Structures are given as structure tokens and as C-alpha cells.
Amino acid sequence: MFKRIVLYWVICGSCLAAPEPVERHATQLRVLLQQADAAYYNNGEPIMGDAAYDALRSQYEKLLVDYPELPALSDVGAVVPEDGGPTAHTEPVLSLKKAYSDDEVLAFVKRCGVEQTYCIEPKLDGLTVVLRYQNGLLVQALTRGDGKQGSDVTTAVMASGCVPTRLENAPESMELRGEILMSFSAFEALNERRTKDGLTALKSPRNSAAGTLRLKDLAEIAQRGLQLRIFEVIQIEREVPTHTEALARVSAFGLPVVKSRTFSGAEVLPVLTEMNRLRADSSFPTDGLVIRLDDRTAFKQLGATAKYPRGAIARKYRAVPVETTLLSIEWTTGDTGRLTPVAHFEPVEVDGATLQRASLHSLDHLRALDLMIGDRIEVVRAGGSVPEIIGRTSAPRTGEEKPIDDPE
Ligand code: IVH
């Protein structure tokens, strides 16, 4: 507890009034100085020379002259808090049931009630964190872990600078869930910097966001431009009736929230179409859409299975077809002795994988598709993985196409 109090003093302080860039710079300086202090006094292994240390300290002191509301520097020798190990969640952090087709979403809406109001929002693709605030102060940040227990990442989250550590006019207690994300542009900048420093490039913004919170180097965490979006209010004093109002309430405390819009059960298909289209506009990664009941009481009343809440569902984005050319058909014999046609096509990249073949399931299916060798075809990854030919493109045939031979 003592360590946490010291951390507050050092990291969050009361720097609400300085302009954003100054605040960021100040936070970076403070974490760097704090690390240097800890390395020197706690571990006896300095991470920088005296001159560098003094230069950083005087930089901060100069900032303090112009912005006296910035937190004062701690005395040297402050203890760097170690993040705790596994910590139990107050409520299990469940997954979401996945819907791979619009029909599955329609069935979900029918089960919950077509007359209900729903919310639709992007399924954010980063690292889920559970945040607890008391009297407006961030007291704990946990990862999802196995859903029952998560790792304590409070220090890293504070150092990231993307989670407000002090809220104005917040209630006595509140528990929220959100996603820590790395934008596509922050990811590019990070990899550029790594390449310049002779380090390997990181794989994806998602892995980078998760990896960043595991770093011990607080100054590096502060530099990576992580972002937060709250998507769930678990507990808040003065309950609110809807998810929409819950998000609006935490947003009013200065917390960034996911973009969520309401619709009526009858509108689900056009809304899915529009939200699919908006995917491309997102500045950070998303991997589908979340559809959920807006009414918090109805949501709670529906309860949950061991894995999923019944009042919400995740729709994978509709697969975007990619064009290629059909090269040949190979006939394979399965365990049952049945002949199965397999299409070979010019290699194409679909959702990050290179595809060049797809099963056509049966002779009947092949005939129904009415394909010829040399046809321009459309390929998708059905359910997000299995390659599937959905048909010919609308382009007219050139006359060069060859008929497909029947199996011998
Ligand atoms: S709602 C009880 N909304 O995806 C309601 N979850 O695979 C459950 N996620 O565990 C969550 N974006 O960690 C919700 N807009 C969003 C989300 C979201 C990302 C995460 C969340 C969840 C996981 C399910």
C-alpha cells in the first residue's frame, strides 16, 4: 500500500492544468527519474551517469517553474513498486459468443427480444484491463488473465499515461473494463524507432499493446502512445439504467469510451452493414462488432453461461472477398472413397494468409458454381479461416477459359 501511495505522489500527482504535451513530457521525465533513483538506491545498479541524471532533474525543475501545478519530484530513493502477481477479479471476465453469420445475429436478437434497444460497437483488439477507482483515484489495474484472476499491471498502466489516474467529481467507487490499444500510426512509429536502433520489428499493434504493459522500463511504456477505450461499466455508484448512459457517465469523468450507437432490434441488418463499412476508418485495430442489450437490468437478468453473457454477442466482420484466377481442379479421394474437387488458384493474400487452394466439397457444388479454368473468381476465408470460393466475379469471360474435365 505504501508503495502505491509513493507511486501516486510520483506519477499521477495533480498535473491536470498543464497543456497535454507538457504533461506528457513531465510524466516521461518523472518515470525516468524514478527509475534512475530506484536503480541507484534500491538495486545499487545505476542506469545512467550523474551528469545525465542531473540534466533530467533540472529539465523537470525548469518545467515546474512554468507549471507549478505539476507534481513535485519525489525525494530520491523512492521505491519502484513491483506489480503484483495473480489477483482475483471481483466478477469473472467472460468472453463473448461469436457469430460468424448475420443469421446468428438475427437469432440472438430474436432470443433477447426484437422490441429491445441494442448497442453496437467495435470489438477492440488490444489488451483488456479491469480498472478500479476509489474517490476518483485509480487504485488497481488488472489484466483479464484466465477470467478469474488477472495480473496486476497498475504501475505500467499509470506509466502509459493513457489511463486517467485522477478523476474529477467521480463517485466513491467504480469498476470499469476497457481495452488498451496501440493505434496503427503509433505502431508504425514504434517499429521505425526499433529498426533505427537495430531491434527487430514487432508483429502487430495488438501484440505490441500487450507487450508494452509487460515492460519494466516505465519511460519506454510512456513513450509508446498507448490508448484506452472503456467498453464496460461493471459497478458504479448511482446505477444507471442503460449501457449508453453508463458510458456517457464515465466519459463525463474524463475517461475515453468506445464509440457505441443504439438501434432497435428490427434494424439489425442495415446497422451491421454500415458498421462493417466503418471498420476501415478506425485508427486502431478492431476484430469484429459487439452487439449487446442497452438495458442493464435486462442484460443482468439474462445472466451468463459458464463462458459468455447471454445479452451480448460478437459478430466477426463480414469476410471481404478477394479476386484471383482459377488455375486447375484436382480430384482427391477422402477416407470414405468419395471424390472431392479441390480448386487451385493464383496465390492471393486474404486476411493476412496466402491462399492458393480451396475445397469445392462435391461435384454438385462444383457444377452449381459453373466454373471454368481461367475464370476470375472470388475467394474468402469462411468463418475467418477456411478458404472458400464464393463464385465468379462479375467480369465477363474472355473466351480463353477452358472447361473443367470430369473426374476419371
Ligand atoms: S463487452 C459482459 N465490448 O473482447 C460484456 N467486450 O472476446 C462483455 N472486447 O472479454 C464484454 N471490445 O475483453 C465488450 N466493445 C467491446 C469490446 C469487448 C473488446 C473484449 C472483452 C471481451 C472480449 C471477448
Side-chain angles (χ1 to χ4, degrees):
M1 192 59 201
F2 172 69
K3 289 177 177 180
R4 283 279 138 73
I5 293 167
V6 172
L7 183 74
Y8 266 125
W9 185 33
V10 174
I11 292 188
C12 53
S14 62
C15 50
L16 294 170
E20 229 275 312
V22 175
E23 228 177 72
R24 279 190 79 78
H25 183 204
T27 306
Q28 286 170 6
L29 283 173
R30 278 199 309 279
V31 289
L32 203 54
L33 284 165
Q34 187 202 16
Q35 278 190 327
D37 284 345
Y40 189 85
Y41 290 98
N42 305 347
N43 312 336
E45 281 178 35
I47 51 168
M48 62 178 79
D50 288 352
Y53 181 85
D54 291 344
L56 289 179
R57 226 182 145 86
S58 80
Q59 251 192 62
Y60 194 85
E61 273 149 16
K62 270 188 208 136
L63 281 184
L64 270 178
V65 174
D66 292 332
Y67 303 99
E69 63 281 11
L70 286 172
L73 279 181
S74 63
D75 286 335
V76 289
V79 185
V80 170
E82 284 155 29
D83 274 344
T87 308
H89 289 298
T90 50
E91 247 189 58
V93 187
L94 302 175
S95 300
L96 285 170
K97 189 173 161 54
K98 290 187 187 73
Y100 290 105
S101 66
D102 290 352
D103 281 348
E104 286 174 65
V105 182
L106 281 172
F108 161 79
V109 167
K110 217 168 155 191
R111 267 198 311 276
C112 297
V114 181
E115 73 293 348
Q116 293 271 9
T117 299
Y118 293 83
C119 295
I120 188 161
E121 49 201 52
K123 186 161 176 292
L124 311 166
D125 199 15
L127 183 80
T128 301
V129 284
V130 181
L131 304 172
R132 282 205 304 124
Y133 283 89
Q134 263 163 19
N135 298 315
L137 295 178
L138 176 68
V139 290
Q140 192 176 53
L142 301 179
T143 62
R144 178 177 190 272
D146 64 3
K148 294 191 186 90
Q149 293 190 320
S151 305
D152 188 316
V153 285
T154 315
T155 311
V157 156
M158 284 178 169
S160 74
C162 69
V163 177
T165 49
R166 249 178 78 142
L167 307 172
E168 294 299 318
N169 309 317
E172 207 175 298
S173 81
M174 140 171 118
E175 184 168 325
L176 314 167
R177 289 188 197 149
E179 204 81 354
I180 301 266
L181 300 149
M182 190 177 281
S183 68
F184 295 114
S185 59
F187 175 66
E188 266 171 39
L190 171 62
N191 270 345
E192 228 168 76
R193 183 157 62 84
R194 288 179 65 88
T195 318
K196 241 190 237 155
D197 294 345
L199 298 168
T200 52
L202 298 174
K203 265 201 167 147
S204 68
R206 185 212 180 168
N207 295 344
S208 308
T212 300
L213 287 191
R214 286 193 205 99
L215 295 176
K216 291 271 172 272
D217 182 342
L218 302 184
E220 175 63 24
I221 299 176
Q223 269 192 59
R224 290 203 173 173
L226 292 178
Q227 293 192 37
L228 168 75
R229 293 292 182 278
I230 300 293
F231 60 73
E232 174 86 345
V233 177
I234 298 298
Q235 178 266 321
I236 194 162
E237 248 158 59
R238 217 157 44 75
E239 242 315 323
V240 276
T242 63
H243 175 62
T244 307
E245 284 160 278
L247 291 181
R249 196 151 169 233
V250 297
S251 164
F253 301 139
L255 284 154
V257 300
V258 66
K259 258 194 201 147
S260 179
R261 62 172 273 200
T262 55
F263 64 95
S264 75
E267 293 171 301
V268 60
L269 287 182
V271 166
L272 278 173
T273 304
E274 193 188 337
M275 294 292 287
N276 256 280
R277 199 162 42 76
L278 294 180
R279 175 190 195 178
D281 297 346
S282 179
S283 60
F284 42 71
T286 62
D287 66 345
L289 298 165
V290 175
I291 298 111
R292 57 182 299 162
L293 279 172
D294 195 22
D295 186 316
R296 278 170 68 86
T297 311
F299 184 89
K300 274 191 199 137
Q301 270 170 358
L302 275 179
T305 69
K307 283 189 183 162
Y308 318 116
R310 291 198 185 85
I313 200 165
R315 168 78 167 104
K316 285 280 162 191
Y317 283 115
R318 287 178 192 154
V320 180
V322 176
E323 276 190 34
T324 182
T325 304
L326 182 63
L327 298 177
S328 63
I329 299 290
E330 175 196 358
W331 293 91
T332 60
T333 320
D335 292 343
T336 55
R338 220 173 59 141
L339 275 178
T340 306
V342 176
H344 290 249
F345 43 83
E346 270 172 11
V348 270
E349 173 122 349
V350 185
D351 298 336
T354 305
L355 308 181
Q356 48 195 341
R357 50 190 299 217
S359 172
L360 288 164
H361 312 298
S362 65
L363 183 58
D364 285 346
H365 186 77
L366 171 64
R367 287 193 175 134
L369 283 172
D370 182 30
L371 294 174
M372 292 178 84
I373 305 297
D375 269 342
R376 292 294 289 164
I377 54 170
E378 285 186 332
V379 180
V380 293
R381 290 177 79 188
S385 67
V386 188
E388 187 157 31
I389 295 179
I390 53 175
R392 279 167 44 201
T393 67
S394 53
R397 284 182 166 141
T398 60
E400 299 286 302
E401 297 81 5
K402 306 261 173 327
I404 293 169
D405 296 334
D406 276 345
E408 281 154 18

PDB file of all heavy atoms in Angstrom, residues 86-106:
ATOM      1  N   PRO A  86      -0.823 -12.804  -9.661  1.00  0.00           N
ATOM      2  CA  PRO A  86      -2.242 -13.015  -9.945  1.00  0.00           C
ATOM      3  C   PRO A  86      -3.133 -12.428  -8.854  1.00  0.00           C
ATOM      4  O   PRO A  86      -2.839 -12.589  -7.676  1.00  0.00           O
ATOM      5  CB  PRO A  86      -2.376 -14.544  -9.978  1.00  0.00           C
ATOM      6  CG  PRO A  86      -1.004 -15.102  -9.900  1.00  0.00           C
ATOM      7  CD  PRO A  86      -0.077 -14.025  -9.456  1.00  0.00           C
ATOM      8  N   THR A  87      -4.161 -11.740  -9.275  1.00  0.00           N
ATOM      9  CA  THR A  87      -5.111 -11.133  -8.339  1.00  0.00           C
ATOM     10  C   THR A  87      -6.522 -11.510  -8.784  1.00  0.00           C
ATOM     11  O   THR A  87      -6.824 -11.447  -9.982  1.00  0.00           O
ATOM     12  CB  THR A  87      -4.958  -9.592  -8.372  1.00  0.00           C
ATOM     13  OG1 THR A  87      -3.568  -9.298  -8.169  1.00  0.00           O
ATOM     14  CG2 THR A  87      -5.765  -8.914  -7.304  1.00  0.00           C
ATOM     15  N   ALA A  88      -7.377 -11.876  -7.832  1.00  0.00           N
ATOM     16  CA  ALA A  88      -8.735 -12.335  -8.178  1.00  0.00           C
ATOM     17  C   ALA A  88      -9.586 -11.174  -8.687  1.00  0.00           C
ATOM     18  O   ALA A  88      -9.508 -10.067  -8.148  1.00  0.00           O
ATOM     19  CB  ALA A  88      -9.385 -12.960  -6.955  1.00  0.00           C
ATOM     20  N   HIS A  89     -10.383 -11.430  -9.730  1.00  0.00           N
ATOM     21  CA  HIS A  89     -11.335 -10.424 -10.215  1.00  0.00           C
ATOM     22  C   HIS A  89     -12.563 -10.427  -9.305  1.00  0.00           C
ATOM     23  O   HIS A  89     -12.940 -11.476  -8.778  1.00  0.00           O
ATOM     24  CB  HIS A  89     -11.790 -10.764 -11.640  1.00  0.00           C
ATOM     25  CG  HIS A  89     -10.718 -10.558 -12.661  1.00  0.00           C
ATOM     26  ND1 HIS A  89     -10.160  -9.336 -12.902  1.00  0.00           N
ATOM     27  CD2 HIS A  89     -10.104 -11.421 -13.508  1.00  0.00           C
ATOM     28  CE1 HIS A  89      -9.241  -9.446 -13.845  1.00  0.00           C
ATOM     29  NE2 HIS A  89      -9.180 -10.703 -14.232  1.00  0.00           N
ATOM     30  N   THR A  90     -13.186  -9.255  -9.173  1.00  0.00           N
ATOM     31  CA  THR A  90     -14.402  -9.210  -8.361  1.00  0.00           C
ATOM     32  C   THR A  90     -15.567  -9.891  -9.086  1.00  0.00           C
ATOM     33  O   THR A  90     -16.457 -10.437  -8.472  1.00  0.00           O
ATOM     34  CB  THR A  90     -14.805  -7.756  -8.037  1.00  0.00           C
ATOM     35  OG1 THR A  90     -14.812  -7.033  -9.263  1.00  0.00           O
ATOM     36  CG2 THR A  90     -13.852  -7.107  -7.071  1.00  0.00           C
ATOM     37  N   GLU A  91     -15.530  -9.836 -10.411  1.00  0.00           N
ATOM     38  CA  GLU A  91     -16.542 -10.527 -11.229  1.00  0.00           C
ATOM     39  C   GLU A  91     -15.807 -11.203 -12.360  1.00  0.00           C
ATOM     40  O   GLU A  91     -14.901 -10.579 -12.932  1.00  0.00           O
ATOM     41  CB  GLU A  91     -17.494  -9.489 -11.853  1.00  0.00           C
ATOM     42  CG  GLU A  91     -18.874  -9.587 -11.320  1.00  0.00           C
ATOM     43  CD  GLU A  91     -19.843  -8.707 -12.089  1.00  0.00           C
ATOM     44  OE1 GLU A  91     -19.970  -8.888 -13.318  1.00  0.00           O
ATOM     45  OE2 GLU A  91     -20.437  -7.835 -11.452  1.00  0.00           O
ATOM     46  N   PRO A  92     -16.168 -12.469 -12.703  1.00  0.00           N
ATOM     47  CA  PRO A  92     -15.415 -13.129 -13.776  1.00  0.00           C
ATOM     48  C   PRO A  92     -15.436 -12.316 -15.066  1.00  0.00           C
ATOM     49  O   PRO A  92     -16.464 -11.720 -15.412  1.00  0.00           O
ATOM     50  CB  PRO A  92     -16.137 -14.472 -13.970  1.00  0.00           C
ATOM     51  CG  PRO A  92     -17.325 -14.451 -13.088  1.00  0.00           C
ATOM     52  CD  PRO A  92     -17.239 -13.289 -12.162  1.00  0.00           C
ATOM     53  N   VAL A  93     -14.307 -12.258 -15.739  1.00  0.00           N
ATOM     54  CA  VAL A  93     -14.240 -11.549 -17.028  1.00  0.00           C
ATOM     55  C   VAL A  93     -14.521 -12.593 -18.113  1.00  0.00           C
ATOM     56  O   VAL A  93     -13.671 -13.433 -18.407  1.00  0.00           O
ATOM     57  CB  VAL A  93     -12.857 -10.894 -17.247  1.00  0.00           C
ATOM     58  CG1 VAL A  93     -12.875 -10.029 -18.513  1.00  0.00           C
ATOM     59  CG2 VAL A  93     -12.462 -10.048 -16.048  1.00  0.00           C
ATOM     60  N   LEU A  94     -15.732 -12.531 -18.649  1.00  0.00           N
ATOM     61  CA  LEU A  94     -16.157 -13.567 -19.604  1.00  0.00           C
ATOM     62  C   LEU A  94     -15.722 -13.231 -21.026  1.00  0.00           C
ATOM     63  O   LEU A  94     -15.317 -12.109 -21.314  1.00  0.00           O
ATOM     64  CB  LEU A  94     -17.681 -13.710 -19.557  1.00  0.00           C
ATOM     65  CG  LEU A  94     -18.264 -14.072 -18.192  1.00  0.00           C
ATOM     66  CD1 LEU A  94     -19.779 -14.058 -18.241  1.00  0.00           C
ATOM     67  CD2 LEU A  94     -17.755 -15.439 -17.720  1.00  0.00           C
ATOM     68  N   SER A  95     -15.838 -14.230 -21.906  1.00  0.00           N
ATOM     69  CA  SER A  95     -15.616 -13.979 -23.337  1.00  0.00           C
ATOM     70  C   SER A  95     -16.957 -13.626 -23.967  1.00  0.00           C
ATOM     71  O   SER A  95     -17.978 -13.585 -23.280  1.00  0.00           O
ATOM     72  CB  SER A  95     -15.113 -15.239 -24.029  1.00  0.00           C
ATOM     73  OG  SER A  95     -13.921 -15.641 -23.468  1.00  0.00           O
ATOM     74  N   LEU A  96     -16.943 -13.412 -25.265  1.00  0.00           N
ATOM     75  CA  LEU A  96     -18.194 -13.157 -25.975  1.00  0.00           C
ATOM     76  C   LEU A  96     -18.432 -14.296 -26.944  1.00  0.00           C
ATOM     77  O   LEU A  96     -17.499 -14.780 -27.597  1.00  0.00           O
ATOM     78  CB  LEU A  96     -18.096 -11.849 -26.763  1.00  0.00           C
ATOM     79  CG  LEU A  96     -18.175 -10.566 -25.950  1.00  0.00           C
ATOM     80  CD1 LEU A  96     -17.812  -9.373 -26.806  1.00  0.00           C
ATOM     81  CD2 LEU A  96     -19.577 -10.402 -25.374  1.00  0.00           C
ATOM     82  N   LYS A  97     -19.696 -14.716 -27.057  1.00  0.00           N
ATOM     83  CA  LYS A  97     -20.032 -15.747 -28.040  1.00  0.00           C
ATOM     84  C   LYS A  97     -19.846 -15.137 -29.425  1.00  0.00           C
ATOM     85  O   LYS A  97     -20.223 -13.986 -29.644  1.00  0.00           O
ATOM     86  CB  LYS A  97     -21.480 -16.181 -27.841  1.00  0.00           C
ATOM     87  CG  LYS A  97     -21.862 -17.387 -28.651  1.00  0.00           C
ATOM     88  CD  LYS A  97     -23.262 -17.842 -28.261  1.00  0.00           C
ATOM     89  CE  LYS A  97     -23.866 -18.732 -29.326  1.00  0.00           C
ATOM     90  NZ  LYS A  97     -23.041 -19.876 -29.689  1.00  0.00           N
ATOM     91  N   LYS A  98     -19.269 -15.918 -30.343  1.00  0.00           N
ATOM     92  CA  LYS A  98     -19.011 -15.369 -31.671  1.00  0.00           C
ATOM     93  C   LYS A  98     -20.101 -15.765 -32.651  1.00  0.00           C
ATOM     94  O   LYS A  98     -20.558 -16.904 -32.648  1.00  0.00           O
ATOM     95  CB  LYS A  98     -17.669 -15.887 -32.195  1.00  0.00           C
ATOM     96  CG  LYS A  98     -16.493 -15.302 -31.457  1.00  0.00           C
ATOM     97  CD  LYS A  98     -15.179 -15.698 -32.110  1.00  0.00           C
ATOM     98  CE  LYS A  98     -14.014 -15.235 -31.258  1.00  0.00           C
ATOM     99  NZ  LYS A  98     -13.825 -16.031 -30.023  1.00  0.00           N
ATOM    100  N   ALA A  99     -20.510 -14.821 -33.460  1.00  0.00           N
ATOM    101  CA  ALA A  99     -21.463 -15.105 -34.538  1.00  0.00           C
ATOM    102  C   ALA A  99     -20.707 -14.972 -35.853  1.00  0.00           C
ATOM    103  O   ALA A  99     -20.093 -13.935 -36.096  1.00  0.00           O
ATOM    104  CB  ALA A  99     -22.616 -14.114 -34.492  1.00  0.00           C
ATOM    105  N   TYR A 100     -20.738 -16.022 -36.666  1.00  0.00           N
ATOM    106  CA  TYR A 100     -19.996 -15.993 -37.929  1.00  0.00           C
ATOM    107  C   TYR A 100     -20.881 -15.615 -39.110  1.00  0.00           C
ATOM    108  O   TYR A 100     -20.416 -15.500 -40.218  1.00  0.00           O
ATOM    109  CB  TYR A 100     -19.319 -17.347 -38.178  1.00  0.00           C
ATOM    110  CG  TYR A 100     -18.172 -17.589 -37.227  1.00  0.00           C
ATOM    111  CD1 TYR A 100     -18.300 -18.475 -36.167  1.00  0.00           C
ATOM    112  CD2 TYR A 100     -16.974 -16.895 -37.379  1.00  0.00           C
ATOM    113  CE1 TYR A 100     -17.256 -18.673 -35.286  1.00  0.00           C
ATOM    114  CE2 TYR A 100     -15.926 -17.091 -36.500  1.00  0.00           C
ATOM    115  CZ  TYR A 100     -16.063 -17.977 -35.458  1.00  0.00           C
ATOM    116  OH  TYR A 100     -15.031 -18.166 -34.582  1.00  0.00           O
ATOM    117  N   SER A 101     -22.192 -15.497 -38.833  1.00  0.00           N
ATOM    118  CA  SER A 101     -23.085 -15.098 -39.933  1.00  0.00           C
ATOM    119  C   SER A 101     -24.114 -14.106 -39.396  1.00  0.00           C
ATOM    120  O   SER A 101     -24.349 -14.034 -38.184  1.00  0.00           O
ATOM    121  CB  SER A 101     -23.812 -16.321 -40.489  1.00  0.00           C
ATOM    122  OG  SER A 101     -24.691 -16.823 -39.496  1.00  0.00           O
ATOM    123  N   ASP A 102     -24.725 -13.371 -40.327  1.00  0.00           N
ATOM    124  CA  ASP A 102     -25.772 -12.430 -39.922  1.00  0.00           C
ATOM    125  C   ASP A 102     -26.962 -13.191 -39.335  1.00  0.00           C
ATOM    126  O   ASP A 102     -27.635 -12.692 -38.427  1.00  0.00           O
ATOM    127  CB  ASP A 102     -26.235 -11.612 -41.144  1.00  0.00           C
ATOM    128  CG  ASP A 102     -25.143 -10.643 -41.602  1.00  0.00           C
ATOM    129  OD1 ASP A 102     -24.130 -10.519 -40.899  1.00  0.00           O
ATOM    130  OD2 ASP A 102     -25.312 -10.032 -42.682  1.00  0.00           O
ATOM    131  N   ASP A 103     -27.201 -14.420 -39.845  1.00  0.00           N
ATOM    132  CA  ASP A 103     -28.322 -15.218 -39.312  1.00  0.00           C
ATOM    133  C   ASP A 103     -28.159 -15.484 -37.819  1.00  0.00           C
ATOM    134  O   ASP A 103     -29.132 -15.472 -37.068  1.00  0.00           O
ATOM    135  CB  ASP A 103     -28.428 -16.558 -40.058  1.00  0.00           C
ATOM    136  CG  ASP A 103     -29.106 -16.355 -41.410  1.00  0.00           C
ATOM    137  OD1 ASP A 103     -29.669 -15.258 -41.620  1.00  0.00           O
ATOM    138  OD2 ASP A 103     -29.054 -17.283 -42.234  1.00  0.00           O
ATOM    139  N   GLU A 104     -26.915 -15.717 -37.411  1.00  0.00           N
ATOM    140  CA  GLU A 104     -26.677 -15.968 -35.978  1.00  0.00           C
ATOM    141  C   GLU A 104     -26.979 -14.717 -35.159  1.00  0.00           C
ATOM    142  O   GLU A 104     -27.431 -14.810 -34.032  1.00  0.00           O
ATOM    143  CB  GLU A 104     -25.234 -16.418 -35.749  1.00  0.00           C
ATOM    144  CG  GLU A 104     -24.985 -17.851 -36.194  1.00  0.00           C
ATOM    145  CD  GLU A 104     -23.510 -18.219 -36.094  1.00  0.00           C
ATOM    146  OE1 GLU A 104     -22.984 -18.255 -34.973  1.00  0.00           O
ATOM    147  OE2 GLU A 104     -22.891 -18.462 -37.146  1.00  0.00           O
ATOM    148  N   VAL A 105     -26.707 -13.541 -35.737  1.00  0.00           N
ATOM    149  CA  VAL A 105     -27.011 -12.300 -35.009  1.00  0.00           C
ATOM    150  C   VAL A 105     -28.532 -12.118 -34.945  1.00  0.00           C
ATOM    151  O   VAL A 105     -29.083 -11.735 -33.903  1.00  0.00           O
ATOM    152  CB  VAL A 105     -26.339 -11.069 -35.673  1.00  0.00           C
ATOM    153  CG1 VAL A 105     -26.630  -9.810 -34.877  1.00  0.00           C
ATOM    154  CG2 VAL A 105     -24.838 -11.270 -35.795  1.00  0.00           C
ATOM    155  N   LEU A 106     -29.207 -12.428 -36.077  1.00  0.00           N
ATOM    156  CA  LEU A 106     -30.674 -12.318 -36.093  1.00  0.00           C
ATOM    157  C   LEU A 106     -31.289 -13.235 -35.033  1.00  0.00           C
ATOM    158  O   LEU A 106     -32.218 -12.830 -34.319  1.00  0.00           O
ATOM    159  CB  LEU A 106     -31.214 -12.715 -37.476  1.00  0.00           C
ATOM    160  CG  LEU A 106     -31.098 -11.645 -38.566  1.00  0.00           C
ATOM    161  CD1 LEU A 106     -31.482 -12.217 -39.929  1.00  0.00           C
ATOM    162  CD2 LEU A 106     -31.991 -10.453 -38.221  1.00  0.00           C
TER     163      LEU A 106
END
